[in-house]
Amino acid sequence: MPGLTVQSSMACPICDCLVEMPALNADCAIYCPCCGDHLSSIKAESFDHALALALAGLALLLCATWYPFLGFSASGKEANMTLLDSATSLFGYDQPILGTIVFILMFAGPLGLLLTLITLLVLLRRPVAGSASHLLPLLARAVALLQHWNMVEVFLIGAVVSIAKISSMATIQIGLAFWCFIGFTICTIVSLACVDTVQLWRLIRMRHLAGS
Amino acid sequence: MSSNNTPIYSPQSAAAQGLQGCRRCFRLVPLPLKQCDFCGAEVSLRKQHAVQNTLAYLFTAIVLFVPANVLPIMVTSEFGSSKPSTILEGVVLLWHHGSYPTALVIFIASVLVPMAKVMALLLLCWSVVRRSPHRVQERKRLLALTELVGRWSMVDVFVVALLVALVQLAGVLTVAPGPAALAFCGVVLFTMLAAHAFDGRLLWDHAVNLKGEKVDHG
Ligand SMILES: [Zn+2]
């Protein structure tokens, strides 16, 4: 990208105030002087923490899809479900649109989010060659989109509410996958909290300038 | 209608300098450009037709809110007899069974939050159209809260999906999704799109008094 310069200021996304940004590696938080909103935090090794947590989250998500999620028994009969059943069984009731939306929101979206986040953070660990540096903005864009529609914690509360709703009617067995899903949710949320978007794009620009 | 439609930008703002803050990568892009010179995202001083787009999504959500509450969200079949229930019937049933926390979660997430969210966004749109210079901080917090709580309304849709998958004991107890589930899912997604289409920076324009000083900056 010819003519691309490093900028030292940014516009506050909330109130559009022009803010002078301090240099990287300063270990501090920056707030908008006009509206007081948090703009960016610079913390040492936060991207490494995010990567470790995202990898743990990915492993836990795979476990959560493999093992039984919840079990249910009443009147001597028993039924088990896996995590993905909550989307696929909607197809059986002629609700393909709802089934697809639920599948994307609780499985495909979070899985894609973790995979793109891991790829991005791994690539950012060291300077990359010219061709790979073009991949970085695309990955960051995908992460932002998937993060906006990420609803893993909402799904977890939904599972807790479901258990509370039917525990009076039947006996519920909480499967291994349920605990894995709780771990996956915590890892995903904390991992995303470690990634400061402003610093992420700053780093991507630095890699880009070095790569081209 | 006022004689000029050109917005008044605050002197501290990037827009007053002819700089467009990229919403995706935070780069400052000078005015004639329509695309960010780094990430390629569309840039503008303020999102184009932000209020109109927000209102269009909100209107869709309001229309969907009717079937979401009138039609059954799930059908429970116990020993051969099926019993459809709407969102509110489900809340009342939970309350009678004594599961007050669950009833409250569903009521707040499925009834209160969507309605409050639609009203908050309508209020924000109206304040922008009216060019209100007042209570900028409060309106900013209202928008942030709207964006924060919006996703939580999805709880009821996930509860239906989970119960449909879990409660499948043929002849004893089964749960089937009702048509309101998809309608309610639409309500949540369209209110989220509405909040996303709005441009919070619009709240800060016109928050300038005649001396050119910001009035409501806390
Ligand atoms: Zn950009």
Side-chain angles (χ1 to χ4, degrees), chain B residues 22 24-25 27 36 39 41:
Chain B
C22 175
R24 190 190 291 159
C25 77
R27 194 173 168 73
C36 172
C39 74

XYZ file of all heavy atoms in Angstrom, chain B residues 22 24-25 27 36 39 41, ligand 1:
52
model
N -12.267 5.572 10.528
C -12.716 4.284 9.999
C -13.336 3.479 11.144
O -12.721 3.310 12.192
C -11.549 3.517 9.384
S -12.006 1.855 8.832
N -13.880 0.383 11.229
C -13.323 -0.963 11.356
C -11.910 -0.943 11.927
O -11.618 -1.638 12.883
C -13.335 -1.670 10.001
C -12.998 -3.146 10.100
C -12.772 -3.749 8.732
N -14.000 -3.826 7.962
C -14.023 -3.933 6.639
N -12.898 -3.945 5.950
N -15.160 -4.011 5.996
N -11.020 -0.127 11.347
C -9.617 -0.231 11.741
C -9.101 1.032 12.436
O -7.910 1.128 12.731
C -8.743 -0.570 10.541
S -8.426 0.806 9.458
N -8.491 3.970 11.503
C -7.619 4.889 10.790
C -8.375 6.183 10.499
O -9.596 6.165 10.329
C -7.174 4.239 9.470
C -6.034 4.941 8.819
C -5.519 4.162 7.613
N -4.626 5.006 6.858
C -3.389 5.319 7.262
N -2.925 4.825 8.377
N -2.628 6.113 6.535
N -11.676 3.333 3.219
C -10.485 3.409 4.057
C -9.273 2.978 3.240
O -9.311 1.954 2.564
C -10.658 2.494 5.265
S -9.165 2.342 6.249
N -7.908 -0.623 5.275
C -8.677 -1.870 5.349
C -9.757 -1.965 4.278
O -10.375 -3.013 4.117
C -9.281 -2.045 6.738
S -10.677 -0.976 7.049
N -12.688 -0.548 4.209
C -14.057 -0.359 4.676
C -14.621 0.953 4.151
O -13.875 1.891 3.899
C -14.097 -0.370 6.205
Zn -10.111 1.147 7.906
